[in-house]
């Protein structure tokens, strides 16, 4: 899964093998994130790229409020087969969907 800021400068990419990567310069250089290793499936971010969220298959939802420098696991959402995640333009809230029809709304 991938996501970009509105201006294309901030990019978030997740891989199923557990990697979470961020770029703050349109992909010229990449940083490995401090997010926990999980089978990440999808990613989203606010228009300005400061708020980010990721979801994992048979794992967690994690959020960041500082462009991916630090991550917080939303333990209340539980470990589920998360398949998709989206966020409002200003990053104030998001929604994730899991297999079996489960939805979870969160705020950052």
């Amino acid at each position: 899964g991938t996501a970009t800021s509105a201006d294309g400068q901030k990019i978030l990419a997740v891989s199923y093998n557990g990697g979470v990567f961020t770029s703050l310069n349109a992909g010229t250089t990449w940083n490995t994130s401090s997010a926990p290793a999980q089978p990440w499936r999808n990613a989203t971010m606010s228009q300005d790229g400061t708020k980010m969220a990721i979801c994992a298959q048979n794992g967690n939802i994690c959020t960041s409020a500082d462009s991916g420098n630090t991550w917080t696991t939303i333990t209340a959402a539980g470990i589920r087969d998360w398949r998709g995640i989206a966020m409002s333009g200003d990053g104030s809230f998001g929604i994730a969907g899991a297999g079996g029809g489960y939805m979870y709304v969160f705020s950052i």
Side-chain angles (χ1 to χ4, degrees):
T2 59
T4 63
S5 59
D7 66 3
Q9 288 299 303
K10 295 180 181 175
I11 305 171
L12 170 62
V14 297
S15 70
Y16 188 76
N17 70 358
V20 178
F21 308 93
T22 57
S23 174
L24 304 178
N25 54 14
T28 301
T29 59
W30 289 88
N31 302 303
T32 302
S33 168
S34 63
Q38 293 193 35
W40 298 112
R41 180 175 258 174
N42 217 326
T44 187
M45 75 169 60
S46 59
Q47 289 181 343
D48 67 4
T50 58
K51 296 181 179 178
M52 301 177 171
I54 53 180
C55 64
Q57 178 179 347
N58 299 316
N60 296 106
I61 297 170
C62 289
T63 61
S64 173
D66 58 8
S67 299
N69 289 320
T70 60
W71 292 89
T72 301
T73 300
I74 302 178
T75 55
I79 295 173
R80 300 189 184 277
D81 183 14
W82 298 108
R83 297 184 181 193
I85 195 164
M87 182 179 292
S88 62
D90 66 1
S92 61
F93 70 94
I95 186 167
Y102 188 84
M103 305 294 280
Y104 186 81
V105 177
F106 59 92
S107 60
I108 299 177

